[in-house]
Amino acid sequence: MLLVAACFPGQGSQSVGMLDAFAATYPEVRETFEEASEALGLDLWALVSGGPKETLDQTENTQPAMLVAGISVWRVWQAQGGVAPALMAGHSLGEYAALVAAGSLSLAQGVRLAAERARLMQAAVPVGQGAMAAVLGLTDAQVMTVCAEAAEGAVVEAVNFNAPGQVVIAGDVDAVGRAMIAAKAAGAKRSLLLPVSVPSHCALMRPAATLLARRLEAVDLRLPEVPVLHNVDAAVADSVAALRERLCEQLYRPVRWVETVQAMGAAGVSLVIEFGPGKVLTGLNKRCDKNITTLPVFDPETLKAALEATADAQG
């Protein structure tokens, strides 16, 4: 029997016009954006479809927009009779989309939390003081050693274990710069700064996590109807209290994406559907577990291909 999982991308997969083709065919896209826009008090569809890019790329706009994009695609999948996944996960902000899809949060709750999360993250580290960089071609251990040696009393950490040989680092801008130089010296194929304004998933986000914890206490969370693997430990939370803890820890602890995909494989998953614009996770998943196929869904053509691929799993 084909066992399917769902995954949702995070910040970085956004682009102006990213769901135009989908929205032209499936009304669920615009309906989902309208529902979220009303909850947030911001016309997200106008931003996503018309930009400008600079505004869409601002963290406090990107995070709610990406959550809604993922959920709109997920709702189209449901409306078209797509197979129900046995597991879900999301990369960074995508974890919130997974929780909405799994029934742990309503869309309104999720989009408000995403916007608040983004504001708290940006407030924790002013623009220009933090940075993130992708290091390609080193082992996880090598990257962690490079960060430890480059810190010099500041913060620079391995924060996204995205795929074998692809690790993202984050921290104070000068420390990240030193780590990039050290990574090249250690044999990295490439070391490149990422176009982000917040150093996510590192110790600099602890103040934001403290404030997010207070915000989460006021939210009526439920355990998801479909198990969701969390970024910080690639495991399923067994209580609402643990769920809140995982969401707070996610701000300052690494995204363990390799372990997450491998946990899907260990559970018997052989096919993952990526719901949302782009196919970043599709590329990463292939490298994390060669026995798992990932199919992206972001337009009518990719939807058709994924529906056909999972047709035998229906029922």
Side-chain angles (χ1 to χ4, degrees), residues 95 99 222-224 227-230 233-247:
E95 188 168 294
L99 289 169
R222 299 168 295 283
L223 282 177
V228 173
L229 297 170
H230 292 280
D233 58 3
V236 177
D238 59 4
S239 68
V240 171
L243 176 55
R244 288 192 173 98
E245 288 175 10
R246 298 298 180 275
L247 291 177

Side-chain angles (χ1 to χ4, degrees), residues 17 179-180 199 236 249-250 262:
M180 291 174 69
V236 177
E249 290 172 345
Q250 190 216 54
Q262 291 173 347

Side-chain angles (χ1 to χ4, degrees), residues 3-4 10 12 51 60 62 64 76 84 104 107 110 115 121 137 152 154 156 160 181 191-193 196 215 256 284 294:
L3 204 61
V4 177
E60 64 185 62
T62 306
V76 171
S104 186
L107 178 61
M121 291 171 72
E152 297 181 12
V156 59
N160 291 358
I181 294 170
S191 185
L192 61 155
L193 280 173
V196 297
R215 177 73 177 84
R256 300 191 175 279
L284 295 179
T294 302

